[in-house]
Amino acid sequence: MSTDDSGRLHFLEASGTPYDVGFQLGRFGAEIAHRHLVARHAWASVMAFRDDRRVAVMRRMVEERFPAHWQELQGLAHGLGLPLDEVFLWNCRGDVWAMASDGCTTVQLPGDEPVIAHNEDGDPGLRGHCALANVRPRDGKAFTAFVYPASIPGHTFAVTEAGLVQTVNNIRSRDTGTGLPRMLLGRALLDCATLDEAVKLLETSKRAGAFHMTLAQRGDPHLLSIEFTHSGCTAITVDEPRLHANHLVHPGRSEEPQVVTGSSRSRQQRGDAIMAGSRSEMRFDPLSALWDKGDPVLPILREQPDDPDHENTLATAVFHVGANSLRWRVYDRVGTDPRFAFDNALTPS
């Protein structure tokens, strides 16, 4: 499947064996990966770790623990037409390089019908070359996820056939070590049947890098905020409106060694103020927070060509997670109708 420069978010379908799925995702992203991604400083910065001893250990751990996802990575590399070692390392970027991109902001609204809303912030050069991928593996759960070229699913936002909702924020932690790559843990989470199973996966696995995840599930009233690093994992039930802007903020964790960029700090401070005001409102539109430009220098909505983290908001997703329903909308342009709308399904209505 080819992409274009229209700036719109694509929808694609991938199915079959893990290798087949990876190959189809690789073919989708091949052109922009060769033209743009591998020429970026970020790619070179990650490839500088190719001889790091941790990488070989992480590879063995993935092959042994997640053989199906290892096959998916093999297919991804072949579909991209890039060396497997490079593609694997790129999918370990946040585990070996603290300044890996994909910042993101998430709004968390608990209640009888929890709401999760998420800005997917990434490389602006990939606008028009990302997609929502409806993946139906031969073995494992079907899901629909936002996917970047050259990256496996599970580190952005996704909904699974089990009704699980996952959104992910980058954590630029300096507490990294040998373990399973964070993106592979995110991919494995998409196969979990319940919130408890997802939390157990993250808590009990040997982790290399760090992520924040917001999780909810159709039929379960709990809304979870999870921060994990190499050395620790905390899971908190969200009991009041909150916003998370891609750095460690859980009680007792904010002083851990991490890189907090100016944008991340600004978005968190502005978001905290907005969410504090929302607690007195009967109804609150999460888009008013995610599309906020109240800070003219480092706003929550990231559209500046000179963004200091080299990231822009590529998509916004809003999930309404009910007892018997899961409605979600994905926007790729601010102030317009959703690009895609889903009603109790993994494909657009």
Side-chain angles (χ1 to χ4, degrees):
M1 179 184 295
S2 64
T3 62
D4 57 48
D5 294 322
S6 67
R8 304 311 303 267
L9 186 63
H10 298 263
F11 189 84
L12 67 95
E13 296 180 302
S15 61
T17 66
Y19 176 91
D20 294 337
V21 166
F23 184 82
Q24 292 162 57
L25 295 178
R27 287 289 298 272
F28 171 78
E31 188 274 335
I32 191 65
H34 285 270
R35 177 163 59 86
H36 172 76
L37 193 60
V38 301
R40 292 191 68 227
H41 170 72
W43 185 275
S45 296
V46 174
M47 294 306 118
F49 290 88
R50 55 169 50 92
D51 295 326
D52 191 306
R53 65 175 185 81
R54 293 174 296 168
V55 177
V57 177
M58 286 192 288
R59 174 171 172 162
R60 288 198 299 272
M61 293 179 71
V62 172
E63 290 181 89
E64 294 172 2
R65 177 78 182 274
F66 302 128
H69 304 326
W70 175 249
Q71 294 168 29
E72 192 171 295
L73 281 166
Q74 291 177 305
L76 181 67
H78 293 164
L80 288 164
L82 291 170
L84 175 60
D85 287 348
E86 293 186 12
V87 173
F88 176 70
L89 184 53
W90 182 244
N91 281 267
C92 299
R93 55 189 179 272
D95 306 285
V96 298
W97 186 47
M99 287 309 295
S101 59
D102 310 341
C104 305
T105 304
T106 304
V107 170
Q108 305 158 331
L109 301 177
D112 294 336
E113 183 181 83
V115 175
I116 300 173
H118 179 83
N119 274 355
E120 184 59 39
D121 298 340
D123 178 2
L126 298 179
R127 187 180 300 279
H129 300 279
C130 299
L132 292 186
N134 175 235
V135 177
R136 301 181 305 279
R138 186 181 62 185
D139 299 308
K141 288 182 169 51
F143 61 87
T144 296
F146 181 101
V147 292
Y148 287 99
S151 295
I152 58 171
H155 70 108
T156 56
F157 62 82
V159 172
T160 77
E161 67 173 316
L164 200 68
V165 178
Q166 172 204 59
T167 68
V168 183
N169 292 345
N170 183 26
I171 300 291
R172 296 181 174 95
S173 174
R174 296 194 183 280
D175 176 18
T176 60
T178 303
L180 289 161
R182 63 182 193 170
M183 288 172 60
L184 269 297
L185 286 171
R187 174 65 185 87
L189 191 148
L190 298 179
D191 282 330
C192 291
T194 64
L195 288 177
D196 287 345
E197 185 179 335
V199 173
K200 183 177 180 180
L201 169 73
L202 300 178
E203 287 181 336
T204 61
S205 295
K206 191 171 183 180
R207 303 169 299 271
F211 262 154
H212 171 268
M213 293 187 176
T214 301
L215 300 179
Q217 186 172 25
R218 181 182 55 232
D220 190 319
H222 295 93
L223 179 58
L224 302 181
S225 173
I226 302 171
E227 290 180 349
F228 70 80
T229 63
H230 170 63
S231 63
C233 178
T234 52
I236 294 175
T237 298
V238 179
D239 55 8
E240 63 180 4
R242 295 185 182 181
L243 179 144
H244 194 285
N246 82 279
H247 59 270
L248 297 168
V249 299
H250 282 185
R253 307 211 66 170
S254 60
E255 300 305 316
E256 294 183 24
Q258 62 175 323
V259 176
V260 182
T261 68
S263 171
S264 182
R265 180 179 293 105
S266 175
R267 283 180 285 120
Q268 189 67 55
Q269 291 173 346
R270 174 63 179 163
D272 287 345
I274 293 172
M275 302 315 291
S278 77
R279 289 164 195 157
S280 62
E281 299 179 23
M282 292 297 293
R283 294 183 180 179
F284 175 73
D285 182 0
L287 293 177
S288 67
L290 292 179
W291 290 348
D292 180 78
K293 298 181 183 180
D295 185 322
V297 179
L298 295 171
I300 294 175
L301 178 67
R302 309 173 74 179
E303 299 178 311
Q304 314 96 304
D306 60 345
D307 180 273
D309 296 346
H310 309 292
E311 297 168 10
N312 277 187
T313 300
L314 303 181
T316 299
V318 182
F319 307 87
H320 295 262
V321 189
N324 300 296
S325 63
L326 205 172
R327 298 175 295 109
W328 51 300
R329 305 289 183 263
V330 180
Y331 303 81
D332 64 355
R333 290 179 178 172
V334 175
T336 65
D337 291 336
R339 173 67 166 165
F340 300 108
F342 301 80
D343 293 294
N344 300 311
L346 297 178
T347 54
S349 53

